[in-house]
Amino acid sequence: MTAPPAAPVSTWAPLASKVFRALWIAQLVSNLGTWMQTVGAQWLLVDAPNAATLVSLVQTATTLPVMLLSIPSGVLADLMDRRRLLIGAQSAMAVCAAVLAVVTAAEHITPGLLLTLLFLLGVGQALTAPAWQAIQPELVPRNQIPAAAALGSMSNNVGRAVGPAIAGALVSLVGPTLVFAVNAVSFIGVVVVLIGWRRPTSDQDLPAERPIAALQTGLRYIRASPAVRRVLARSILFIAPASALWALLPVTAHDRLGLSSSGYGLLLGALGVGAVIAATQLARMRRMLSPTRLLALAAVAFGIATVVAAGVPFTAIVLVSLVFGGFAWVTALSTMNSIMQLLLPAWVRARGLSVYQLVFMGGQAIGSLVWGVVAGAFGATVALLAAAVLLGLCAVSTLWLPIRAVSLDTTPAVYWPEPLLDFEPDPEDGPVLVLVTYHVPEEAVVEFSAAMAPVGRSRQRTGAMEWRLYRDVGVADRYIEAFVVRSWEEHMRQHQLRLTAQDRLVEQRIDKYILGEPQTLHLVAVQPVQPVRTWRRG
């Protein structure tokens, strides 16, 4: 059973929260600074030997850490206090940006040092992203998460559209030093707001999870969550072909439209305008269309914009189509992002969002590379038209791979009775085998077996490494559920931290098919003691 979907609220509703409003403004300024930094760094390298290679490495230096560290960063954000992690990451990024500004002003900057500092800034961004998205449900009510995601997409796309234009003007007037300094100051604004936020603390008796075990648990959660895997699949289906337009837009601007760098900035601005319009209209669209239809519409609209960019030689028409493209881009991304946030419980949210971020960044990076190779072999027009066809197929695929307009109730729920113990196992004792015995009348066996499948996924989402349902051959109506958890501490996390209202609803479904109360048995693995051999002479 799923929680009924909440009525969509205004896009601007999250801004009523003082903390969210302050953080959103600070993040908007930071996004502007980040995109300004990219332009300033590229400008520094345009006259260097091997400029083409070095300029392309600017984007690589900033995005590669995000791809490499996305999942570890998600694990870290679930294990640490997210507020402190964000303060530390943003402070480190401010220091790196300030060093970049000082070294550039002193004229001691080299390509190697520049790329190293950009890489470190990318590491900071990788640490920030999962934690930043994971705190959104702590800042706004659950029914405002889609609106918060739309505002986040608006912030990113306004930074992408406006930042390069501001940086271009500043660089032409005073050089890149001021651009780097502005970026350093932009991080300080985020740090100040985070320091002022009094995040509620959660009391728990269990020690923090170990990183490797936490990573395995997060991946196991995704593997056992069909709804989350569906969103990830839909992300890949959209991002992979959509990346062609972003990758080949500079070629289209220069070769087909004959535009200069300022003209290319105008095309990016059109995408940004569409993104802002989408963010303001998404609440209204959600009242009329399901998430599946929104994603289908976004794929079609972005595909049309891609076709126009591929074949229309008139700048005005391309600009109009890119407005619709920006609208479609934000519609798709904010829809998928908000659904991910709604599907993930707090204890694993950052890990789940880090996988989504990896899919997004990886799909865009690998997709851009593939479309670049296709364009090199067959031309940009053929590559863009092929991407448009795939976007059309992405829209059609929603017929058999939909995202339903429901969200799981991930409210924490502690409802398992505490185990009856004759002795207290050590936290690391394990593996732990849990056996739950049910008595099922013959006429309810089929329905009971079907209802147990979601129970098995629930056990695996919350920590079970293995799960099986057995039938006792000695007693006709006896069925035994068996699942294995890594350690006693991990099983206690199931009891105290990881269960949700959705898990409780899943378990309640089987009550009408069983007789009496289930009986639970906990078994802790014992390591066999090797006998001591004694040797005799003779």
Side-chain angles (χ1 to χ4, degrees):
M1 182 176 180
T2 53
V9 297
S10 166
T11 299
W12 311 108
L15 296 177
S17 165
K18 181 179 179 181
V19 176
F20 180 89
R21 181 173 65 249
L23 281 173
W24 184 82
I25 293 172
Q27 183 67 2
L28 174 60
V29 175
S30 182
N31 285 331
L32 288 170
T34 297
W35 283 98
M36 290 168 63
Q37 168 194 273
T38 300
V39 172
Q42 290 172 335
W43 183 261
L44 272 177
L45 298 172
V46 292
D47 294 324
N50 302 316
T53 301
L54 290 173
V55 168
S56 65
L57 286 175
V58 168
Q59 196 67 22
T60 302
T62 54
T63 59
L64 184 62
V66 178
M67 291 185 60
L68 295 177
L69 301 176
S70 177
I71 293 180
S73 297
V75 172
L76 198 60
D78 277 333
L79 300 186
M80 291 182 60
D81 182 280
R82 291 167 185 161
R83 171 178 166 273
R84 293 181 180 178
L85 176 61
L86 288 170
I87 290 173
Q90 293 287 306
S91 299
M93 293 171 76
V95 171
C96 288
V99 169
L100 179 56
V102 171
V103 174
T104 303
E107 299 183 353
H108 293 314
I109 193 70
T110 63
L113 180 58
L114 173 63
L115 292 174
T116 299
L117 289 170
L118 291 178
F119 184 86
L120 293 175
L121 285 161
V123 170
Q125 183 61 35
L127 292 171
T128 295
W132 186 269
Q133 293 190 58
I135 66 170
Q136 303 305 305
E138 301 179 37
L139 303 175
V140 298
R142 183 178 176 84
N143 67 331
Q144 292 182 11
I145 288 177
L151 288 170
S153 295
M154 178 197 293
S155 171
N156 290 330
N157 284 277
V158 167
R160 181 190 294 233
V162 178
I166 297 175
L170 289 178
V171 169
S172 64
L173 290 174
V174 296
T177 301
L178 181 59
V179 170
F180 298 146
V182 169
N183 189 39
V185 173
S186 73
F187 293 123
I188 295 175
V190 178
V191 172
V192 169
V193 176
L194 287 169
I195 290 175
W197 174 34
R198 294 293 176 259
R199 182 176 185 242
T201 58
S202 57
D203 297 327
Q204 63 176 44
D205 298 329
L206 296 171
E209 294 181 74
R210 291 184 294 184
I212 299 300
L215 173 60
Q216 294 170 339
T217 301
L219 296 177
R220 192 181 300 119
Y221 184 96
I222 293 171
R223 197 163 56 243
S225 178
V228 171
R229 287 188 281 110
R230 180 70 59 90
V231 176
L232 295 176
R234 291 242 55 95
S235 300
I236 294 172
L237 290 173
F238 177 78
I239 293 296
S243 63
L245 182 59
W246 290 104
L248 300 177
L249 191 59
V251 178
T252 299
H254 183 270
D255 295 347
R256 174 171 292 279
L257 302 177
L259 299 176
S260 64
S261 59
S262 61
Y264 172 57
L266 190 63
L267 298 183
L268 288 178
L271 286 164
V273 169
V276 173
I277 295 173
T280 61
Q281 298 302 313
L282 268 174
R284 183 179 302 175
M285 294 178 65
R286 288 193 185 97
R287 283 191 285 267
M288 299 183 292
L289 300 172
S290 68
T292 298
R293 291 185 177 180
L294 281 174
L295 292 176
L297 178 64
V300 170
F302 205 84
I304 292 173
T306 303
V307 169
V308 172
V312 176
F314 303 108
T315 302
I317 296 176
V318 174
L319 283 171
V320 173
S321 72
L322 290 178
V323 172
F324 285 97
F327 190 102
W329 179 262
V330 167
T331 298
L333 264 60
S334 65
T335 298
M336 290 184 289
N337 185 280
S338 62
I339 292 173
M340 281 291 289
Q341 293 192 35
L342 291 169
L343 290 176
L344 294 165
W347 67 269
V348 77
R349 185 175 294 131
R351 278 166 278 187
L353 289 170
S354 70
V355 174
Y356 169 76
Q357 180 185 0
L358 179 62
V359 168
F360 172 76
M361 295 294 296
Q364 200 167 14
I366 296 172
S368 298
L369 176 62
V370 170
W371 293 119
V373 172
V374 173
F378 303 101
T381 298
V382 172
L384 289 170
L385 290 176
V389 171
L390 291 179
L391 283 165
L393 294 176
C394 172
V396 173
S397 70
T398 58
L399 295 175
W400 65 84
L401 199 65
I403 292 179
R404 294 171 179 82
V406 294
S407 61
L408 305 181
D409 187 353
T410 58
T411 306
V414 180
Y415 60 91
W416 282 2
E418 289 297 312
L420 298 176
L421 305 176
D422 281 342
F423 71 94
E424 181 72 33
D426 291 334
E428 291 303 315
D429 282 352
V432 176
L433 173 63
V434 182
L435 303 176
V436 185
T437 302
Y438 306 92
H439 290 277
V440 184
E442 184 177 355
E443 63 274 13
V445 166
V446 174
E447 293 85 352
F448 169 77
S449 298
M452 284 299 292
V455 172
R457 290 194 292 270
S458 169
R459 307 294 197 226
Q460 291 172 307
R461 283 196 301 269
T462 55
M465 300 184 296
E466 301 175 24
W467 179 89
R468 288 276 184 174
L469 180 63
Y470 297 89
R471 183 174 186 178
D472 189 339
V473 297
V475 181
D477 69 344
R478 183 186 293 168
Y479 288 78
I480 299 176
E481 174 195 4
F483 61 94
V484 178
V485 187
R486 182 182 61 84
S487 66
W488 185 254
E489 176 187 311
E490 189 80 352
H491 185 51
M492 288 299 97
R493 292 186 190 282
Q494 287 184 299
H495 273 267
Q496 301 174 19
L497 300 176
R498 294 178 178 171
L499 293 171
T500 66
Q502 179 65 26
D503 296 313
R504 186 171 196 170
L505 290 172
V506 165
E507 293 187 36
Q508 287 176 341
R509 289 178 185 172
I510 65 175
D511 289 346
K512 57 185 174 182
Y513 305 124
I514 64 176
L515 302 173
E517 291 293 323
Q519 301 298 314
T520 303
L521 184 65
H522 296 82
L523 304 176
V524 179
V526 176
Q527 297 297 328
V529 178
Q530 297 294 331
V532 178
R533 295 185 178 183
T534 59
W535 295 90
R536 296 182 181 178
R537 293 184 180 181

